[in-house]
């Protein structure tokens, strides 16, 4: 089941990445807080629906699940800030290397060893994600010139351009490892953990609203912010599938889900009319080959 849930997560998080990129305007220094507002609103609604339909949850679940929540929320906010400069960096592949980080931590501390097909799939996916970083870095001069006009150039070669994706990668990897520890041990169940996470994001959305709208006097145009809401819906749907996939098989699901950055690149090329190079096609083929290997592993395990 983890394989199907991982595929669902990849598709929805790829959509979240696309819509969040569209909604992140370099000239809007509050865009990351506006995305937090949208995500927190949708997640809060989803968590409330879960409770009203009989989901298991206790207030202590906030405390039990706090290590994972803290890592995820902080990494998400850093990721949303970095989205404003995504065209001038390789932040997406670096961020999504967190799946490999979590995989290594699980192998070391949980002693969960995948089978041969899973190992092959993990290697192919990690190679693809790293390869995407190099492919994205080698933008042609024309595309780079267009990007330079659209993005804030002061971040192009500064420490801050690398700070966001690297720290996202570390925090998200730690959050996934915390998920594996807490969910695999039964200390927190997937349902309760997800509700705790979503209500925490709702609290962050309220904070963001107070800061942006009340303190900074910024206006919210719902029509202008519609891509952020679409991204929030995709993020919430992906998170719901993700937590169950990680709870079932963290060692293999984590690197597989990290491949959603490749899916987001495909979507950006389709909807933003950007061209794919031969290297991109090779990377996509490599990642999908890895996913197929993991699917074969899952099928053999269920036989």
């Amino acid at each position: 089941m983890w394989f199907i849930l991982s595929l669902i997560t990849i598709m929805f998080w790829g959509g979240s990445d696309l819509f969040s990129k569209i909604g992140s305007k370099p000239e809007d220094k509050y865009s990351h807080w506006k995305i937090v507002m949208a995500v927190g609103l949708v997640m809060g609604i989803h968590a409330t629906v879960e409770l009203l339909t009989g989901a298991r949850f206790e207030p202590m679940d906030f405390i039990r699940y706090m290590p994972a929540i803290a890592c995820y929320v902080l990494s998400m906010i850093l990721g949303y800030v970095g989205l404003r400069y995504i065209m001038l960096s390789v932040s997406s592949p670096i961020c999504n290397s967190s799946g490999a980080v979590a995989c290594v931590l699980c192998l070391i501390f949980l002693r969960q060893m995948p089978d041969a097909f899973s190992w092959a799939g993990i290697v192919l996916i990690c190679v693809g994600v790293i390869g995407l970083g190099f492919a994205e870095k080698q933008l042609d001069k024309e595309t780079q010139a267009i990007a330079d006009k659209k993005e804030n150039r002061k971040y192009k070669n500064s420490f801050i351009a690398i700070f966001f994706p690297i720290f996202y990668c570390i925090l998200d990897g730690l959050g996934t490892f915390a998920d594996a520890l807490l969910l695999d041990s039964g200390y927190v169940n997937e349902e309760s953990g997800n509700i705790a996470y979503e209500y925490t994001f709702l609290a962050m959305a309220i904070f963001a609203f107070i800061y942006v709208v009340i303190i900074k006097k910024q206006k919210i145009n719902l029509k202008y912010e519609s891509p952020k809401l679409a991204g929030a819906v995709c993020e919430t749907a992906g998170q719901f599938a993700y937590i169950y996939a990680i709870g079932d098989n963290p060692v293999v699901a984590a690197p597989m889900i990290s491949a959603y950055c490749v899916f987001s690149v495909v979507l950006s090329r389709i909807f933003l009319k950007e061209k794919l190079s031969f290297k991109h096609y090779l990377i996509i083929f490599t990642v999908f080959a890895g996913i197929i290997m993991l699917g074969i592993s899952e099928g053999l395990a269920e036989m």
Side-chain angles (χ1 to χ4, degrees):
M1 190 62 182
W2 64 266
F3 182 74
I4 300 299
L5 291 170
S6 297
L7 285 178
I8 292 171
T9 304
I10 287 172
M11 289 187 289
F12 276 113
W13 277 359
S16 174
D17 215 9
L18 172 67
F19 288 120
S20 296
K21 286 179 190 178
I22 295 172
S24 297
K25 305 299 182 183
E27 66 275 9
D28 184 3
K29 63 181 180 180
Y30 301 106
S31 66
H32 58 290
W33 287 121
K34 292 176 182 177
I35 295 176
V36 170
M37 279 188 266
V39 174
L41 174 63
V42 175
M43 285 192 173
I45 292 172
H46 178 258
T48 302
V49 171
E50 286 279 288
L51 286 178
L52 293 176
T53 53
R56 295 171 295 167
F57 182 74
E58 299 176 2
M60 277 300 294
D61 288 325
F62 281 107
I63 306 300
R64 298 189 186 104
Y65 197 55
M66 187 51 65
I69 290 175
C71 291
Y72 282 141
V73 171
L74 184 54
S75 68
M76 290 289 286
I77 294 174
L78 288 175
Y80 290 144
V81 175
L83 277 176
R84 296 212 302 274
Y85 320 108
I86 192 71
M87 290 184 68
L88 298 181
S89 69
V90 293
S91 62
S92 183
I94 294 174
C95 288
N96 289 282
S97 298
S98 61
V101 173
C103 179
V104 171
L105 290 174
C106 289
L107 287 172
I108 294 173
F109 293 102
L110 299 182
R111 306 294 182 183
Q112 298 180 2
M113 297 299 293
D115 58 29
F117 277 105
S118 294
W119 268 119
I122 290 170
V123 170
L124 287 173
I125 288 171
C126 289
V127 168
V129 170
I130 294 170
L132 179 63
F134 288 101
E136 288 292 282
K137 189 175 182 179
Q138 295 176 2
L139 294 170
D140 60 75
K141 292 181 180 180
E142 182 180 352
T143 302
Q144 189 66 67
I146 295 172
D148 288 344
K149 293 178 181 179
K150 291 183 177 180
E151 307 289 346
N152 191 335
R153 290 180 60 91
K154 73 177 181 178
Y155 291 104
K156 180 178 179 180
N157 296 312
S158 65
F159 170 74
I160 200 167
I162 299 299
F163 169 86
F164 290 118
I166 289 180
F167 273 78
Y168 177 98
C169 175
I170 294 172
L171 288 170
D172 193 64
L174 289 173
T176 303
F177 175 63
D179 257 340
L181 285 175
L182 297 172
L183 300 176
D184 196 50
S185 65
Y187 188 64
V188 180
N189 67 68
E190 290 88 346
E191 197 172 47
S192 299
N194 194 52
I195 291 173
Y197 172 73
E198 291 185 331
Y199 273 135
T200 302
F201 230 110
L202 175 61
M204 290 301 301
I206 294 171
F207 166 80
F209 180 83
I210 294 172
Y211 175 70
V212 173
V213 178
I214 298 178
I215 296 178
K216 294 298 182 178
K217 310 295 183 183
Q218 298 294 307
K219 294 182 179 180
I220 303 296
N221 186 327
L222 292 179
K223 183 179 180 180
Y224 180 77
E225 309 298 348
S226 57
K228 296 182 177 65
L229 287 172
V233 172
C234 290
E235 179 66 35
T236 303
Q239 174 64 29
F240 184 73
Y242 163 83
I243 197 167
Y244 287 98
I246 291 295
D248 190 19
N249 193 341
V251 176
V252 184
M256 177 176 167
I257 291 171
S258 70
Y260 85 84
C261 64
V262 177
F263 188 64
S264 70
V265 168
V266 175
L267 290 176
S268 68
R269 295 322 192 254
I270 294 173
F271 293 100
L272 301 181
K273 307 304 180 183
E274 297 179 7
K275 293 183 179 179
L276 282 171
S277 67
F278 173 76
K279 292 179 181 178
H280 284 99
Y281 284 112
L282 185 61
I283 289 165
I284 292 167
F285 174 81
T286 301
V287 169
F288 278 109
I291 291 174
I292 291 171
M293 294 296 288
L294 295 181
I296 293 173
S297 173
E298 169 74 350
L300 291 175
E302 293 180 353
M303 289 179 62

